[in-house]
Amino acid sequence: MGEVYRGRDTRLDREVAIKILPEAIAQNEQFRARFEREAKTISSLNHPNICALYDIGQRGDLPFLVMELLEGTTLRRRINGAPLQLDTLIDYASQIADALGAAHAAGIIHRDIKTTNIFVTDQGLVKILDFGLAKLDQRNVAVDPLSDTRLVTPVQATEIGQTIGTVSSMSPEQARGEDLDSRSGLFSFGIVLYEMATGRQPFTARTSALI
């Protein structure tokens, strides 16, 4: 539900990515609060394998995030239905694990680790994107900034018993709507490893319920 544009920082003369809330939902206080929480989540993480946040602001009624502009492709497109070479797989996996370790050490669970939320730059640097569903690893303290990821059930982020994220990448406890910790992120990372090694996801079906 966010829109991302290529832009230019005229003060520092550099190209950036600008993420905004669409006008249709920018007036919704809940979405605006989530948007701001996304910025706070990303800004608390300073790691070379996590997409960096440069600034946050507002133009008229539209809030925006200024983030580093990445040139490359998503890991899903890099895999393109075929197994990666083993040395490439190990390189990418090490970078992803390092970024997840930093997030978990900061008490942040991504909750939507999947190959479409992992970016590979033209230089081979891996970046984790979209902390829109991230939450703090503390019971009943949740952060669920705006994300284009579909919600499995339409419930509030702080509601106990929710299921939120991408079904094919969820841990069992996440699918059951239970309280999560960093182990759930490691399960999703395992699914990413499987997809890099085989070129396909381990759990597929025609509907979410079947998965």
Side-chain angles (χ1 to χ4, degrees), residues 40-53:
K40 292 177 181 177
T41 301
I42 301 171
S43 66
S44 68
L45 298 170
N46 181 18
H47 193 277
N49 298 118
I50 295 175
C51 187
L53 176 73

Side-chain angles (χ1 to χ4, degrees), residues 27-101:
Q27 305 307 315
N28 184 301
E29 289 302 319
Q30 181 182 10
F31 286 134
R32 292 175 72 92
R34 291 176 179 175
F35 200 68
E36 292 177 5
R37 287 198 297 268
E38 178 177 16
K40 292 177 181 177
T41 301
I42 301 171
S43 66
S44 68
L45 298 170
N46 181 18
H47 193 277
N49 298 118
I50 295 175
C51 187
L53 176 73
Y54 294 149
D55 199 2
I56 182 172
Q58 185 164 319
R59 177 73 172 180
D61 291 331
L62 296 179
F64 63 86
L65 307 181
V66 182
M67 308 181 74
E68 77 176 300
L69 181 68
L70 303 175
E71 301 285 356
T73 189
T74 65
L75 181 55
R76 172 67 57 82
R77 290 181 177 176
R78 175 69 177 80
I79 294 169
N80 196 28
L84 297 179
Q85 293 292 326
L86 183 59
D87 56 346
T88 301
L89 186 158
I90 293 172
D91 178 29
Y92 292 174
S94 298
Q95 295 185 63
I96 297 166
D98 203 33
L100 284 178

Side-chain angles (χ1 to χ4, degrees), residues 1-4 19 34-35 38-39 41-42 45 49-52 65 67 70 74 100 108-119 127-135 143-150 165-166:
M1 296 173 69
E3 296 175 353
V4 182
K19 182 176 182 179
R34 291 176 179 175
F35 200 68
E38 178 177 16
T41 301
I42 301 171
L45 298 170
N49 298 118
I50 295 175
C51 187
L65 307 181
M67 308 181 74
L70 303 175
T74 65
L100 284 178
I108 294 171
I109 310 169
H110 188 285
R111 289 202 298 183
D112 206 19
I113 292 295
K114 55 185 179 181
T115 53
T116 52
N117 275 344
I118 298 171
F119 199 86
K127 297 273 188 175
I128 294 182
L129 308 176
D130 197 356
F131 280 76
L133 296 183
K135 74 179 288 290
V143 180
D144 70 326
L146 182 66
S147 172
D148 59 357
T149 299
R150 177 175 53 85
T166 303

